[in-house]
Amino acid sequence: MYKNILVPVAFDDTHDNSSALNAARALVDEGGTITLLHVMDAVPTYAVSYLPAGYRTTARDGIISELNVTADSVPGGKSDVIEGHPGTSIVEYANEKGADLIVVASHRPGFSDYFLGSTAARVVRHAQCAVHVTR
């Protein structure tokens, strides 16, 4: 079992985080922690002027609130929000925080994933700890 599990959480219609959360619950040691992480993509400079003032802060606050509610439902749950590219940032965060397992949800790959790669595929290829992929 694992002491420090990282579960990346996406807030869009194509990802179901429940399978990753259930796997993390089953794999965490008693007294271990499960960290729910959301990576906010950086907004391109040219697009910033089109967003309402305070948009990023409001979005971040909403995400933190949602993550905290979910973190309260898992043993040793906590949450964090960072900015960056998800595939890279998840691996860097896991290394910095000493995660011994990343539980990442994946969707069924489409044709474009064979050329671009999904976040889950990038995490599997580059993580220095164990990775458990759910669908």
Side-chain angles (χ1 to χ4, degrees), residues 2-132:
Y2 300 93
K3 294 260 182 225
N4 188 5
I5 299 177
L6 177 63
V7 181
V9 175
F11 291 103
D12 59 27
D13 295 337
T14 62
H15 290 89
D16 179 13
N17 301 307
S18 63
S19 63
L21 291 170
N22 290 336
R25 283 184 189 102
L27 294 170
V28 69
D29 275 340
E30 189 173 327
T33 61
I34 298 174
T35 303
L36 307 180
L37 175 70
H38 180 77
V39 181
M40 292 180 67
D41 282 314
V43 177
T45 308
Y46 66 85
V48 171
S49 63
Y50 296 104
L51 297 173
Y55 167 79
R56 294 291 285 179
T57 303
T58 303
R60 184 182 183 88
D61 291 346
I63 290 167
I64 289 170
S65 175
E66 197 66 34
L67 278 178
N68 286 338
V69 168
T70 307
D72 289 343
S73 73
V74 296
K78 57 184 186 175
S79 61
D80 203 357
V81 177
I82 60 173
E83 288 193 28
H85 181 273
T88 305
S89 298
I90 292 166
V91 172
E92 290 172 356
Y93 186 93
N95 291 340
E96 290 170 11
K97 302 297 182 179
D100 52 3
L101 174 67
I102 301 170
V103 180
V104 61
S106 178
H107 60 281
R108 298 245 181 243
F111 189 68
S112 65
D113 290 320
Y114 292 108
F115 295 110
L116 301 174
S118 67
T119 298
R122 288 185 186 115
V123 170
V124 168
R125 281 194 299 264
H126 299 289
Q128 295 178 6
C129 63
V131 179
H132 183 94

